[in-house]
DNA sequence: GGCCCCCCTG
DNA sequence: CAGGGGGGCC
């Protein structure tokens, strides 16, 4: 399986269905096991992502940020660098293609704001308070570029 | 049953 | 990241 490629896909999709994943790994002969593994990878990717989001959102609250709208994420933001290090360790996208999709920055910003609002309003004390946030973020997936289907995708990363 | 997702571990 | 368990949905 192609872990690096899967991680790069995360910049576009946080909740890809197994059907979509299969389309973007045309060179893989899927079976129950590797399909479950790929799906599991994204689950793990999301966990890392949300852990970081909660961490930075709480940091914003402690720093006295008043409104969620005051939270801004740019390529220079620490959170952005942390995420890039995790999903794009060798800056494959930058060197090979123009850039990380602009919408990813937006998604991160939205996620931070949602966590911030939940924490600030004390909803983080409720049972499964993250569920509603997950639902919102799940609607922000973008189409994965066609070039991810290229048989030479991984080679082009080198 | 089968498929997903989340949670918690190691 | 992989394993295993719990719970929801069809």
């Amino acid at each position: 399986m192609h872990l690096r490629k899967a991680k790069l896909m995360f910049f576009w999709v946080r909740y890809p269905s197994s059907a979509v994943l299969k389309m973007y790994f045309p060179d893989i002969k899927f079976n129950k096991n590797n399909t479950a593994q790929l799906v599991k990878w994204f689950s793990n990717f999301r966990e890392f992502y949300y852990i970081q989001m909660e961490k930075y959102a709480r940091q914003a609250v402690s720093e006295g940020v008043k409104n969620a709208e005051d939270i801004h994420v740019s390529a220079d933001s620490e959170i952005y660098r942390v995420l890039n290090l995790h999903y794009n360790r060798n800056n494959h996208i930058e060197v090979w293609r123009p850039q990380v999709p602009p919408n990813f920055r937006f998604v991160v910003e939205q996620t931070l704001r949602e966590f911030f609002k939940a924490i600030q309003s004390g909803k983080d004390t409720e049972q499964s308070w993250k569920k509603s946030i997950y639902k919102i973020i799940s609607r922000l997936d973008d189409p994965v570029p066609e070039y991810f289907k290229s048989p030479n995708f991984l080679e082009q990363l080198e």
Side-chain angles (χ1 to χ4, degrees):
Chain A
M1 294 297 275
H2 312 307
L3 177 60
R4 287 182 303 153
K5 177 177 173 178
K7 283 191 172 185
L8 292 177
M9 284 180 69
F10 191 78
F11 283 119
W12 282 269
V13 290
R14 270 60 60 187
Y15 291 85
S17 65
S18 57
V20 166
L21 289 175
K22 289 177 179 177
M23 286 194 287
Y24 285 89
F25 289 89
D27 57 325
I28 299 293
K29 296 158 292 297
F30 282 100
N31 56 50
K32 297 286 184 184
N33 292 324
N34 55 20
T35 297
Q37 179 188 43
L38 192 48
V39 169
K40 176 64 176 179
W41 278 357
F42 274 83
S43 177
N44 282 327
F45 295 165
R46 285 193 295 275
E47 290 192 353
F48 176 83
Y49 177 81
Y50 287 125
I51 286 173
Q52 300 306 314
M53 291 300 123
E54 182 177 358
K55 174 181 169 186
Y56 282 87
R58 289 190 183 287
Q59 188 174 304
V61 172
S62 67
E63 290 175 345
V65 174
K66 299 303 178 186
N67 304 306
E69 292 66 34
D70 293 330
I71 294 176
H72 298 287
V73 173
S74 72
D76 297 323
S77 301
E78 184 183 349
I79 183 66
Y80 195 92
R81 293 205 300 278
V82 169
L83 295 173
N84 193 65
L85 184 64
H86 189 73
Y87 304 113
N88 185 24
R89 189 172 296 277
N90 299 121
N91 286 309
H92 286 137
I93 291 184
E94 268 192 337
V95 298
W96 178 57
R97 284 280 167 176
Q99 59 188 348
V100 168
N103 197 50
F104 183 68
R105 190 208 110 281
F106 172 78
V107 173
V108 172
E109 192 170 88
Q110 293 308 303
T111 310
L112 271 182
R113 290 178 175 178
E114 290 301 329
F115 267 95
F116 176 85
K117 288 188 288 184
I119 295 168
Q120 184 184 232
S121 63
K123 288 181 180 175
D124 60 327
T125 58
E126 295 173 13
Q127 275 309 301
S128 47
W129 62 283
K130 298 176 185 175
K131 296 285 187 182
S132 60
I133 296 177
Y134 296 165
K135 189 173 182 180
I136 293 173
I137 304 308
S138 70
R139 301 196 211 98
L140 304 180
D141 275 10
D142 288 298
V144 177
E146 286 296 309
Y147 55 74
F148 268 76
K149 295 179 180 174
S150 168
N152 304 315
F153 187 86
L154 291 174
E155 287 73 3
Q156 295 180 66
L157 293 180
E158 301 307 334

